[in-house]
Amino acid sequence: MTRPLTAAQRRIVDAADPGTGRLRGTPAQLAALVKRGLAFRHPRPPHDHFLTPAGHRACETEANAAAPELVTAPAATGVFAARVGGEHPAPESGPARLREVRGAWQGMLELRRMTNPDGATDRPCGWERSHLVQAAALALEAAGHRPATDGEGGYRVRETPQPEAVAVYAPDGESLRACAATLEGAGWQVGAYTEPRTRARYLLASPRRV
């Protein structure tokens, strides 16, 4: 579990612009929110600070008193982790999870709009390029693809030695093609390959730049 927001941080988050997530506070306060993954500093002048998807979720969670603390997940966002496939034990699924995933994806689209230089939402943003596995997994899970578990086949997203590229595995050709279509629609460049040793088919996906 991570520490709950301090009173000062709570006031800053509560006062965020409801439309853009823009934040006001002292440099130290804003830097603390950035360190916790709840805010980011816009790369262009005047370098304002905005809530990340995790920040929006933290705001909603604490405002609704659903939980006194943020749940730590194995992702840079701190409160949400897209399922990359093969987690053990497998996270619970159901309506609540579906709402979480949809909310995270909408937050990611908003982050694209705010951080891509031209405001485009049809291609990945800087956060996604620095969190490739989580970003690709979120696009797949949000589109309804089933992640792999111990007992069932599904997609698996894994790191690769290649810069800005992830490998996506699926149990059969149809599932692999469906994953490719989803990633392409989410702004990724995708190619299909075969592993020389195992002959397993997989996708190599990279965030599209233009």
Side-chain angles (χ1 to χ4, degrees):
M1 305 290 281
T2 59
R3 301 186 311 278
L5 295 177
T6 65
Q9 291 172 337
R10 173 78 268 155
R11 288 193 296 271
I12 293 172
V13 171
D14 284 343
D17 185 283
T20 65
R22 185 180 181 184
L23 298 167
R24 300 285 189 184
T26 67
Q29 291 171 332
L30 295 173
L33 290 174
V34 170
K35 186 175 182 180
R36 296 184 62 169
L38 303 179
F40 69 93
R41 183 173 181 264
H42 199 287
R44 292 181 296 173
H47 301 298
D48 288 328
H49 287 71
F50 298 85
L51 289 175
T52 63
H56 284 288
R57 289 180 54 78
C59 183
E60 294 171 1
T61 298
E62 294 206 6
N64 294 330
E69 297 180 338
L70 302 180
V71 178
T72 301
T77 56
V79 295
F80 175 84
R83 294 181 60 183
V84 302
E87 291 89 347
H88 183 77
E92 293 185 7
S93 59
R97 176 63 183 182
L98 183 60
R99 288 192 296 271
E100 280 189 334
V101 174
R102 288 175 175 172
W105 179 245
Q106 289 303 312
M108 186 58 66
L109 293 178
E110 179 64 12
L111 191 60
R112 288 182 178 187
R113 186 187 68 81
M114 291 190 297
T115 60
N116 279 332
D118 57 357
T121 60
D122 62 350
R123 66 175 184 275
C125 62
W127 187 93
E128 291 169 277
R129 296 179 191 283
S130 62
H131 301 83
L132 295 171
V133 172
Q134 297 95 326
L138 176 57
L140 292 171
E141 190 177 359
H145 295 278
R146 185 177 72 247
T149 64
D150 289 341
E152 297 183 1
Y155 70 79
R156 295 174 184 265
V157 184
R158 298 293 183 264
E159 294 181 347
T160 74
Q162 295 184 236
E164 288 207 354
V166 295
V168 179
Y169 299 85
D172 53 60
E174 181 179 356
S175 298
L176 201 63
R177 288 189 293 273
C179 288
T182 291
L183 290 172
E184 288 172 348
W188 294 67
Q189 294 177 319
V190 182
Y193 299 86
T194 301
E195 290 186 346
R197 184 174 61 84
T198 65
R199 307 307 298 171
R201 295 286 288 172
Y202 69 99
L203 303 174
L204 196 63
S206 300
R208 183 167 56 84
R209 289 192 175 276
V210 294

